[in-house]
Structures are given as structure tokens and as C-alpha cells.
Amino acid sequence: MDETLLRLQLLLSDQIADIQKNKGSIPEYKPALAAYQQTLNVISVLLHNPDAKFVPYNGKFWTDEQLDKMFHRKDF
């Protein structure tokens, strides 16, 4: 799994470079760039903690603990 994640990370990095280089030809480049960067962040976490669980919120992935802290919940 680590090898697959690393390959995906490299491909996404290349895609980000391409988006930044050709952003004038991509109508919605900012959301696409943000999605790719968010995916790279998730891959990085999974490489260090394969059991990490994520929850989508406002177009990003968060752990339950991050959401608890963000919303000042007492159970973290």
C-alpha cells in the first residue's frame, strides 16, 4: 500500500505542477488545485498512520479530533 500511495503522491504532484503552469487554460483551477493539495495531505497522513479515519467537511478531509477541536467539543 505504501508504494501505491507514493506513486499516487508523485502523480498528484505532477498534476499540481501542470495546473499551476497552465492555470490560464483551466476555468476552475483554484478548486482543482485545492482538491489535489487536500488529497496529498491525506496521503501524507495515511503513510504515517494507515488506520487514520477522515470525515469530509466543507470540501476538506478532517479527523474526528480536528472537528471536535474546531467546534470546541468537550470530548477530545
Side-chain angles (χ1 to χ4, degrees):
M1 179 161 136
D2 285 352
E3 183 179 321
T4 302
L5 287 175
L6 289 172
R7 289 179 62 211
L8 181 58
Q9 197 172 27
L10 291 172
L11 286 169
L12 291 174
S13 294
D14 289 345
Q15 187 70 7
I16 287 172
D18 181 64
I19 287 172
Q20 290 172 327
K21 178 181 170 187
N22 300 302
K23 62 185 173 187
S25 64
I26 302 169
E28 298 294 326
Y29 85 93
K30 285 184 181 180
L33 184 61
Y36 282 118
Q37 289 172 329
Q38 180 67 26
T39 304
L40 282 175
N41 290 339
V42 168
I43 289 170
S44 180
V45 171
L46 288 173
L47 284 170
H48 294 95
N49 182 6
D51 297 326
K53 304 288 185 224
F54 294 95
V55 178
Y57 177 74
N58 279 351
K60 294 184 178 182
F61 291 108
W62 306 85
T63 63
D64 283 330
E65 184 178 277
Q66 288 171 320
L67 289 174
D68 289 344
K69 287 180 181 179
M70 187 178 352
F71 294 115
H72 306 287
R73 297 177 187 155
K74 299 283 183 193
D75 54 355
F76 58 85

